[in-house]
């Protein structure tokens, strides 16, 4: 499916689902309980985001200190940010999606799916053949160098 068409459907379908849920819950629970539920889910989501976000930052730092690429942790952080945005959006359907992203097993499944569909190509600085980096600094005297601001004369 075309990404533009998918986004259009997403922006069309999600609000319809949210309105339907508000009407159904409002009729079942009443207006104030329905609005109170939105507030409670936003506060609960903020607390979960804070706790899991800090834990994810700690895992990223640990992976970096061990010299490994924290790919899973970075994707977890992005998914937690998306979960936070979904929980701040008023509505029960978006809250459900946001809370699902707090489940580590679901984040791992999403990570495996994304990893199977995305290819990461690492690029780095290319060295000139025969060039090596000297670990010791070179101390030059005044006569060992010249200022290139005079045109290299």
């Amino acid at each position: 499916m075309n990404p533009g068409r998918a986004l259009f459907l997403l922006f069309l379908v999600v609000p319809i689902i949210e309105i339907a849920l508000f009407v159904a819950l409002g009729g079942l629970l009443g207006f104030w309980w329905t609005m109170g539920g939105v507030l409670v889910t936003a506060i609960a989501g903020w607390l979960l985001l804070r706790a899991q976000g800090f834990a994810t930052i700690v895992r990223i730092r640990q992976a970096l200190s061990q010299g490994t690429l924290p790919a899973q942790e970075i994707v977890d952080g992005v998914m937690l940010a998306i979960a936070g945005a979904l929980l701040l959006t008023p509505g029960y359907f978006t809250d459900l999606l946001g809370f699902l992203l707090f489940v580590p097993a679901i984040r791992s499944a999403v990570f495996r799916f994304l990893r199977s569909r995305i290819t990461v190509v690492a690029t780095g600085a290319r060295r000139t053949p025969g060039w090596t980096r000297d670990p010791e600094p070179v101390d030059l005297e005044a006569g060992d160098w010249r200022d290139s601001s005079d045109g290299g004369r």
Side-chain angles (χ1 to χ4, degrees), residues 54-150:
F54 283 131
T56 302
I57 290 171
V58 167
R59 288 195 324 270
I60 288 172
R61 286 183 179 171
Q62 287 173 344
L64 289 173
S65 69
Q66 295 170 356
T68 60
L69 179 66
Q72 171 81 44
E73 292 81 5
I74 290 171
V75 172
D76 279 351
V78 170
M79 283 191 269
L80 288 173
I82 293 169
L86 288 170
L87 287 165
L88 289 176
T89 304
Y92 288 102
F93 181 68
T94 53
D95 287 348
L96 173 67
L97 295 176
F99 281 124
L100 286 175
L101 286 177
F102 281 115
V103 178
I106 291 177
R107 287 198 312 263
S108 293
V110 171
F111 176 73
R112 285 191 305 274
F113 172 76
L114 291 174
R115 189 175 56 190
S116 71
R117 302 203 32 133
I118 296 173
T119 303
V120 176
V121 179
T123 60
R126 296 185 180 178
R127 294 186 179 177
T128 305
W131 181 80
T132 59
R133 186 175 286 216
D134 190 354
E136 296 295 320
V138 177
D139 189 18
L140 298 175
E141 300 294 327
D144 295 337
W145 61 277
R146 65 176 175 209
D147 188 7
S148 64
S149 63
D150 62 356

